[in-house]
Amino acid sequence: MIILRIIKHFDALRDFCLSICYMLSFVQVFSNHKALLDSGICDVLVVSTPNCTHAEILLDILDHKIPHHILVEKPLCTKIEDCYRVCISCNLFMPYF
């Protein structure tokens, strides 16, 4: 089991959850998605974060030296420009845009 980030805005609850995770030796905790990517332990990543962060995280994953399978929750991005950037990063040809 891998936990990337727990409850960003509620420090008391986050700290409680992290204290439990640290007691479990099979749980790894990362401070951010880049640290998780650099660890090399994941083949598949699920992006389930606030919608406004999808583009930044997706671009970091797509540009990383290690390829990953990605599942991103809806919406792909919140701005059409970010969707274009993600599609271009995936080498998708978009002739109508």
Side-chain angles (χ1 to χ4, degrees), residues 54-74:
H54 288 185
E56 174 190 351
I57 293 172
L58 283 169
L59 290 169
D60 287 342
I61 295 169
L62 293 168
D63 293 338
H64 198 267
K65 61 186 174 195
I66 302 170
H68 295 87
H69 298 282
I70 306 167
L71 173 65
V72 61
E73 68 176 349
K74 295 188 298 185

Side-chain angles (χ1 to χ4, degrees), residues 28-80:
Q28 291 181 295
V29 179
F30 296 91
S31 59
N32 59 53
H33 66 279
K34 290 180 181 181
L36 174 64
L37 288 170
D38 290 339
S39 74
I41 62 173
C42 291
D43 297 320
V44 178
L45 298 168
V46 177
V47 179
S48 180
T49 59
N51 296 345
C52 62
T53 64
H54 288 185
E56 174 190 351
I57 293 172
L58 283 169
L59 290 169
D60 287 342
I61 295 169
L62 293 168
D63 293 338
H64 198 267
K65 61 186 174 195
I66 302 170
H68 295 87
H69 298 282
I70 306 167
L71 173 65
V72 61
E73 68 176 349
K74 295 188 298 185
L76 178 66
C77 301
T78 55
K79 299 176 186 170
I80 192 72

Side-chain angles (χ1 to χ4, degrees), residues 3 6 16-27 29:
I3 297 178
I6 302 173
F16 172 73
C17 292
L18 286 174
S19 67
I20 292 172
C21 290
Y22 288 129
M23 289 188 295
L24 303 171
S25 61
F26 61 88
V27 176
V29 179

